[in-house]
């Protein structure tokens, strides 16, 4: 009996290896710029194709499907979510539709839907003029400005008062952020909710606590989040309503929230498992691998039956350093030997350039720990990360970069359908 064929868009070699290890015949579509030879042994077919070129990808995948059908279209990366929904509809396959994946990628569209249905409403404007922005901040006290699409805190900036409007506007123009939105700044504890859905039934698997250090880029996570039963019930109710509203059918979702004085409010949501190694935290604490469960949808009625209560806690702390050229990295062995540490990953070396913390890609690595409870896990993660020292010297080159520059570095566009609409 031949293996079930599935289509996997993007992702690193480890993501594809998981699918192949489960017995699936993987048809992998990857951008040439992101090709890793390590993926080859795990692929039944490998297409080096820009999956964000929607017309070409659709034509090629249609032809392949007609010759050798695939059971499902999967992706574990944000850049391909909307494309996966489009292909699911185009091939007539089960899974999340183009409407659903678009709503969970297009931030103004999601906010408009939630506001219209009264699901944790948040004041917002899309592409306001400078005076409109000034009036909005004056009315609501503070705001957050961000791109209409994207992830990893790319292009996100807080505006704390009316006095900060003009500097924020100048930054937006210099950064090249043409399509943007502004929302009331939500104050409170930040969380994300990791869910898994089957046939439109949503199961909360884990609630993740977050630390941004007062900025916008996430510096740490912990599972489970230290929240009360009352807060947990409110969070679960809101997330279920959000996923029902967007029509999510199957698979993981990652919904980011803030516990405000008026109750939980959605920041954004995604039709994928959480990034930043949250899947590893969930696996360590709840015994659930959401990446594997996603692929098993192609063969099982319910890949996550029963309950998966937390056993202990796990936390991650991201490494940061002063901007400049790395002159020394020390303390790695000490961190690896520290209490509770399960993984240390330092992603910079001598001679590399550390940028200011513009988005998640600018972090320098991480330390992951496991402990008996959330408070201990967070403490141990901070202590272990503190053992690693990344020394830098000022860089000779200007560190400023536009949105286009940063996207070019990762070979992505925010809206893969924009070119097709304007053609």
């Amino acid at each position: 009996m031949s293996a079930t064929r599935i289509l996997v868009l993007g992702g690193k070699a480890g993501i594809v290896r998981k699918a192949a290890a489960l017995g699936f015949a993987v048809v992998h579509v990857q951008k040439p710029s992101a090709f890793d030879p390590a993926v080859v042994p795990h692929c039944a077919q490998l297409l080096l194709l820009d999956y964000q070129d929607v017309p070409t990808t659709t034509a090629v995948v249609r032809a392949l499907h007609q010759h050798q059908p695939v059971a499902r279209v999967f992706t574990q990366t944000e850049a391909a979510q909307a494309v996966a929904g489009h292909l699911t509809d185009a091939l007539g396959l089960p899974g999340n539709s183009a409407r659903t994946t678009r709503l969970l990628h297009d931030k103004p569209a999601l906010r408009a839907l939630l506001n219209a249905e009264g699901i944790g409403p948040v004041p917002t404007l899309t592409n306001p003029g400078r005076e409109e922005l000034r009036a909005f901040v004056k009315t609501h006290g503070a705001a957050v400005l961000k791109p209409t699409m994207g992830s990893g805190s790319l292009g996100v900036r807080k505006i704390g008062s009316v006095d900060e409007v003009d500097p924020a506007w100048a930054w937006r123009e210099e950064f090249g952020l043409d399509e943007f939105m502004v929302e009331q700044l939500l104050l409170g504890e930040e969380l994300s909710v990791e869910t898994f859905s089957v046939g439109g039934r949503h199961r909360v698997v884990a609630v993740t606590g977050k630390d941004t250090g007062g900025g916008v880029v996430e510096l740490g996570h912990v599972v489970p989040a230290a929240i009360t039963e009352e807060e947990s019930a409110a969070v679960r109710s809101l997330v279920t309503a959000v996923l029902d509203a967007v029509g999510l059918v199957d698979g993981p979702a990652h919904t980011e929230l803030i516990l405000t004085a008026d109750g939980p409010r959605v920041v954004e949501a995604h039709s994928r498992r959480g990034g930043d190694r949250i899947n590893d935290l969930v696996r360590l604490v709840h015994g659930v691998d959401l990446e594997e469960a996603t692929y098993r949808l192609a063969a099982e009625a319910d890949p996550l039956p029963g309950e998966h209560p937390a056993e202990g806690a796990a936390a991650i702390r991201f490494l940061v350093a002063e901007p400049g050229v790395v002159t020394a990295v020390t303390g790695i062995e000490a961190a690896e030997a520290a209490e509770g540490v399960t993984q240390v990953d330092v992603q910079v070396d001598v001679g590399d350039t550390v940028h200011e913390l513009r988005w998640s890609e600018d972090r320098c690595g991480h330390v992951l720990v496991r402990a008996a409870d959330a408070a201990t896990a967070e403490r141990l993660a901070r202590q272990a990360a503190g053992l690693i020292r990344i020394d830098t010297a000022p860089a000779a080159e200007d560190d400023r970069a536009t949105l286009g520059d940063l996207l070019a570095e990762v070979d992505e566009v925010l809206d893969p359908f924009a070119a097709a609409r304007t053609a």
Side-chain angles (χ1 to χ4, degrees):
M1 183 177 177
S2 60
T4 299
R5 289 168 61 85
I6 61 173
L7 185 74
V8 178
L9 300 176
K12 296 183 179 180
I15 291 288
V16 179
R17 182 174 63 247
K18 282 189 178 183
L22 291 169
F24 295 108
V26 180
V27 180
H28 184 44
V29 181
Q30 180 60 286
K31 296 190 177 196
S33 63
F35 171 63
D36 179 356
V39 81
V40 174
H42 311 297
C43 299
Q45 286 180 298
L46 173 62
L47 306 177
L48 294 183
L49 176 68
D50 182 358
Y51 53 76
Q52 289 192 306
D53 178 348
V54 179
T56 301
T57 300
T58 303
V60 171
V61 168
R62 278 187 190 275
L64 283 173
H65 184 63
Q66 289 173 357
H67 179 62
Q68 290 181 291
V70 296
R72 291 257 189 170
V73 177
F74 294 117
T75 186
Q76 310 265 10
T77 183
E78 180 63 28
Q81 291 298 319
V83 179
H86 164 76
L87 292 175
T88 293
D89 284 357
L91 302 182
L93 297 176
N96 298 317
S97 68
R99 172 187 177 272
T100 295
T101 54
R102 177 73 182 192
L103 281 169
L104 292 173
H105 185 69
D106 185 329
K107 297 173 186 179
L110 176 62
R111 183 64 73 198
L113 173 66
L114 299 184
N115 284 353
E117 298 201 7
I119 302 173
V122 176
T124 184
L125 290 175
T126 302
N127 292 326
R130 175 158 38 185
E131 293 311 311
E132 289 179 286
L133 175 58
R134 194 187 313 279
F136 185 90
V137 174
K138 185 176 181 179
T139 298
H140 298 290
V144 59
L145 186 154
K146 57 187 176 182
T148 57
M149 299 182 187
S151 59
S153 301
L154 177 60
V156 178
R157 182 177 177 122
K158 291 182 179 180
I159 304 174
S161 67
V162 173
D163 291 340
E164 296 180 14
V165 169
D166 285 340
W169 190 266
W171 167 84
R172 181 196 66 78
E173 292 184 320
E174 182 179 358
F175 189 59
L177 184 55
D178 298 325
E179 295 294 322
F180 66 101
M181 63 188 296
V182 59
E183 297 185 323
Q184 182 181 27
L185 181 64
L186 301 173
L187 301 177
E189 183 178 355
E190 298 192 31
L191 309 169
S192 69
V193 183
E194 324 309 329
T195 57
F196 196 86
S197 302
V198 178
R201 294 178 290 106
H202 317 300
R203 181 179 300 135
V204 173
V205 178
V207 180
T208 305
K210 297 179 176 291
D211 175 27
T212 63
V216 298
V217 177
E218 291 163 349
L219 301 177
H221 303 299
V222 63
V223 173
I227 58 176
T228 67
E229 291 186 7
E230 182 180 359
E231 290 168 335
S232 177
V235 163
R236 290 166 180 265
S237 176
L238 177 65
V239 170
T240 298
V242 171
L243 299 182
D244 281 343
V246 300
L248 190 82
V249 175
D250 288 331
H254 170 71
T255 306
E256 299 180 9
L257 307 171
I258 293 181
L259 289 178
T260 75
D262 297 320
R265 295 290 185 269
V266 171
V267 176
E268 56 189 55
H270 306 274
S271 50
R272 56 168 172 78
R273 53 86 175 113
D276 282 357
R277 304 279 177 163
I278 288 176
N279 190 65
D280 291 338
L281 302 180
V282 173
R283 177 178 52 80
L284 287 170
V285 175
H286 292 273
V288 168
D289 188 320
L290 293 172
E291 293 171 351
E292 289 188 355
T294 299
Y295 293 133
R296 293 205 306 268
L297 283 164
E300 301 177 29
D302 187 355
L304 286 181
E307 297 297 321
H308 302 273
E311 295 186 9
I316 189 169
R317 194 73 191 171
F318 294 98
L319 306 176
V320 295
E322 290 296 318
V325 177
V326 177
T327 58
V329 180
T330 57
I332 295 176
E333 291 184 356
E336 290 174 335
E339 182 182 355
V341 171
T342 64
Q343 186 181 72
V344 174
D345 183 10
V346 179
Q347 298 170 352
V348 295
D349 205 344
V350 174
D352 291 340
T353 298
V354 174
H355 300 285
E356 63 174 317
L357 205 56
R358 304 163 299 186
W359 64 319
S360 297
E361 295 293 320
D362 290 321
R363 297 172 306 197
C364 301
H366 67 264
V367 172
L368 196 152
V369 307
R370 190 174 185 183
D373 57 77
T376 303
E378 285 189 291
R379 176 175 57 81
L380 294 178
R382 284 177 181 271
Q383 289 176 349
L387 296 172
I388 299 173
R389 178 169 174 173
I390 302 171
D391 295 325
T392 60
E397 298 181 359
D398 192 337
D399 195 36
R400 287 179 295 182
T402 67
L403 177 63
D405 294 333
L406 297 179
L407 289 173
E409 289 180 7
V410 294
D411 190 20
E412 290 182 9
V413 296
L414 294 182
D415 185 359
F417 294 89
R421 287 196 300 268
T422 58

